[in-house]
């Protein structure tokens, strides 16, 4: 494994960093307070190739590797976890599902629009009573001639209201049976497909999370992704890569919180010396830096396996699990370093603190990651 950063990765990171500083940082708290999903920012990122990072150039994408994808999410998340989350969901879930399992016609029809952010993508697996228990989902798709009729509700969906296109996994067989679900592409504006309740969240407030409701939603069989009954297997494959993106998101949040705490500890004076000179603070910073470095190695290992086309299930689960837990710990310690100021919205660490928690929940909780890891090591 060679994790030496090449010139392309360095340039991509610099572009993402500059964009985040100029186009995201000035509005972070405004978007957080109002829960605005700033669609125009994603359109601008589309112009830079960030919304189609992994999409090959032949389909209008940037054709980058997971190393570049990692640094894009990381640099954005260092400024705003919400924008980083939406960026990750659009790329890793909706877009990547079509890229991985779509036929040539579907790829040509949808990927260029997703890669440029003409379309914002959503991905629907989770339901109110079936998070990781996706085999028991209630949303159904019933074949009717050359069409499928979808009924049910998906919950906790990133871009559930504002997304222009969604990949939806629906049950096409009996609950808890092998091959009981199928993936479909559903476009916004299709009769019977509407956005529902938008969630009022603790953190990640500028990343829209909402219901998707299907009421006798009729779509043609040409919108089916892959084979009938292959939906859940497809979803697991997509989540393997998605965990790398959430790990990168968590890593970016952790780095943002750490860098803010480090700078503050050098500038804040107590007892006529910077607080960084006190062991209580310096040891916190040492732990934060060490755990961030360890998390980054797991993320890089996952990227390496993905780039080489090898199985990434165990490493991506490890990276997602560890990086997300580190993100919460680092953000918590950053608030502590800031003291009372860290508890106010005038400083950035309270937002890192709120945003970080989602990383231990979304795309499989830390507990689910442990199950995945345990199954892999015991296989």
């Amino acid at each position: 494994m060679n994790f030496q950063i090449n010139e392309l990765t360095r340039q991509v990171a610099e572009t993402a960093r500059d964009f985040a500083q100029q186009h995201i940082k000035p509005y972070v708290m405004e978007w957080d307070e109002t829960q605005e999903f700033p669609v125009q920012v994603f359109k601008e990122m589309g112009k830079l190739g960030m919304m189609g990072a992994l999409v090959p150039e032949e389909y209008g994408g940037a054709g980058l590797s997971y190393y570049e994808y990692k640094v894009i999410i990381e640099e954005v998340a260092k400024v705003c976890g919400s924008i980083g989350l939406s960026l990750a969901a659009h790329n890793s879930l909706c877009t990547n599902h079509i890229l991985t399992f779509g036929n040539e016609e579907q790829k040509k029809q949808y990927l260029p629009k997703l890669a440029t952010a003409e379309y914002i993508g959503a991905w629907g697996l989770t339901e109110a009573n079936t998070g990781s228990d996706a085999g028991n989902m209630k949303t159904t798709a019933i074949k009717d001639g050359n069409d499928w009729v979808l009924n049910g509700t998906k919950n906790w969906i990133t871009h559930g209201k504002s997304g222009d296109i969604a990949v939806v996994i629906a049950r096409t067989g009996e609950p808890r049976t092998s091959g009981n679900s199928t993936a479909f592409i559903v476009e916004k504006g299709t009769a019977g497909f509407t956005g529902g309740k938008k969630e009022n969240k603790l953190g990640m407030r500028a990343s829209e999370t909402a219901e998707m409701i299907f009421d006798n939603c009729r779509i043609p069989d040409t919108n089916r992704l892959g084979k009938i009954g292959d939906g859940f297997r497809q979803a697991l494959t997509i989540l393997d890569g998605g965990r790398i993106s959430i790990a990168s998101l968590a890593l970016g949040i952790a780095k943002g919180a750490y860098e803010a705490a480090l700078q503050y500890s050098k500038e804040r004076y107590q007892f006529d010396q910077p607080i960084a000179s006190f062991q209580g603070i310096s040891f916190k910073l040492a732990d934060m830096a060490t755990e961030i470095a360890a998390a980054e190695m797991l993320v890089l290992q996952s990227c390496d396996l993905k780039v080489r086309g090898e199985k990434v299930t165990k490493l991506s689960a490890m990276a997602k699990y560890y990086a997300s837990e580190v993100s919460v710990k680092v953000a918590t310690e950053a608030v502590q370093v800031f003291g009372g100021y860290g508890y106010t919205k005038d400083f950035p660490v309270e937002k890192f603190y709120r945003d970080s928690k989602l990383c231990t929940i979304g795309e499989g909780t830390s507990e689910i990651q442990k199950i995945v890891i345990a199954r892999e090591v015991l296989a």
Side-chain angles (χ1 to χ4, degrees):
M1 292 176 286
N2 180 9
F3 300 145
Q4 185 175 358
I5 302 300
N6 62 34
E7 186 58 30
L8 174 61
T9 307
R10 191 175 293 109
Q11 289 176 356
V12 169
E14 185 177 340
T15 298
R17 187 181 309 122
D18 290 345
F19 181 89
Q21 290 294 323
Q22 294 179 37
H23 300 281
I24 299 174
K25 189 174 182 178
Y27 311 103
V28 165
M29 292 312 298
E30 175 186 337
W31 295 336
D32 184 76
E33 293 285 346
T34 62
Q35 299 193 68
E36 176 185 353
F37 176 55
V39 175
Q40 188 55 41
V41 169
F42 295 94
K43 303 290 186 183
E44 293 301 317
M45 285 193 286
K47 295 177 183 178
L48 295 175
M50 294 162 67
M51 297 293 278
L54 300 171
V55 176
E57 293 180 14
E58 63 183 291
Y59 301 117
L64 301 172
S65 79
Y66 264 79
Y67 288 117
E68 288 78 51
Y69 180 43
K70 169 216 177 249
V71 297
I72 290 172
I73 295 176
E74 183 182 318
E75 291 297 338
V76 170
K78 282 166 69 174
V79 173
C80 181
S82 296
I83 306 303
L85 174 62
S86 281
L87 179 65
H90 172 93
N91 275 284
S92 288
L93 300 180
C94 179
T95 303
N96 196 42
H97 200 136
I98 296 173
L99 174 63
T100 305
F101 295 106
N103 58 38
E104 194 62 24
E105 184 178 339
Q106 290 167 337
K107 291 178 184 179
K108 288 180 178 178
Q109 180 177 357
Y110 295 111
L111 290 180
K113 293 181 179 180
L114 287 163
T116 58
E118 179 181 342
Y119 280 1
I120 300 295
W123 192 75
L125 177 65
T126 304
E127 297 182 5
N129 295 312
T130 57
S132 297
D133 182 21
N136 204 28
M137 69 176 68
K138 299 296 189 290
T139 298
T140 59
I142 298 175
K143 190 80 183 294
D144 182 20
N146 291 323
D147 293 339
W148 291 87
V149 180
L150 276 65
N151 280 287
T153 301
K154 295 294 182 178
N155 297 71
W156 306 104
I157 307 304
T158 305
H159 315 144
K161 289 173 73 76
S162 297
D164 299 287
I165 180 177
V167 172
V168 181
I169 294 87
R171 185 162 57 79
T172 50
E174 293 301 315
R176 298 191 182 284
T177 57
S178 178
N180 76 335
S181 62
T182 305
F184 301 92
I185 298 170
V186 187
E187 295 186 43
K188 188 176 185 178
T190 302
F193 173 35
T194 57
K197 175 189 174 185
K198 179 179 176 180
E199 302 296 341
N200 184 8
K201 308 191 299 290
L202 168 72
M204 301 291 194
R205 290 166 60 81
S207 178
E208 179 187 274
T209 305
E211 294 177 325
M212 293 194 302
I213 300 171
F214 303 93
D215 182 10
N216 291 320
C217 176
R218 183 177 292 270
I219 58 172
D221 187 57
T222 53
N223 282 35
R224 172 170 48 85
L225 281 161
K227 299 177 182 178
I228 297 172
D230 209 26
F232 189 58
R233 186 191 68 81
Q234 291 179 13
L236 291 178
T237 300
I238 295 305
L239 287 170
D240 275 351
R243 288 172 184 137
I244 298 176
S245 71
I246 299 301
S248 302
L249 174 70
L251 187 61
I253 292 171
K255 286 186 175 183
Y258 165 72
E259 290 172 8
L262 180 65
Q263 180 179 345
Y264 182 79
S265 72
K266 295 176 180 178
E267 297 172 349
R268 171 70 166 170
Y269 272 68
Q270 291 288 277
F271 305 102
D272 301 320
Q273 56 187 309
I275 62 173
S277 65
F278 297 111
Q279 189 178 83
I281 300 298
S282 65
F283 277 18
K284 285 185 187 298
L285 295 168
D287 284 340
M288 293 158 77
T290 302
E291 290 174 353
I292 287 171
E296 184 153 33
M297 288 302 294
L298 282 170
V299 178
L300 288 170
Q301 281 184 280
S302 300
C303 290
D304 177 67
L305 289 177
K306 195 70 175 172
V307 167
R308 291 193 280 122
E310 298 186 17
K311 185 178 180 181
V312 74
T313 303
K314 181 177 73 174
L315 257 297
S316 66
M318 286 180 170
K320 196 272 187 188
Y321 164 55
Y322 187 72
S324 63
E325 294 292 338
V326 165
S327 184
V328 171
K329 184 176 179 180
V330 168
T332 302
E333 292 288 49
V335 172
Q336 197 71 18
V337 169
F338 272 76
Y341 290 111
Y343 206 65
T344 71
K345 293 183 181 292
D346 295 326
F347 292 85
V349 290
E350 67 85 28
K351 184 175 182 298
F352 287 126
Y353 179 70
R354 290 186 288 109
D355 287 349
S356 65
K357 189 57 190 172
L358 185 277
C359 297
T360 70
I361 299 170
E363 293 196 35
T365 63
S366 290
E367 291 73 20
I368 288 295
Q369 303 312 316
K370 290 181 183 181
I371 291 174
V372 173
I373 296 163
R375 284 175 178 169
E376 291 294 313
V377 299
L378 293 171

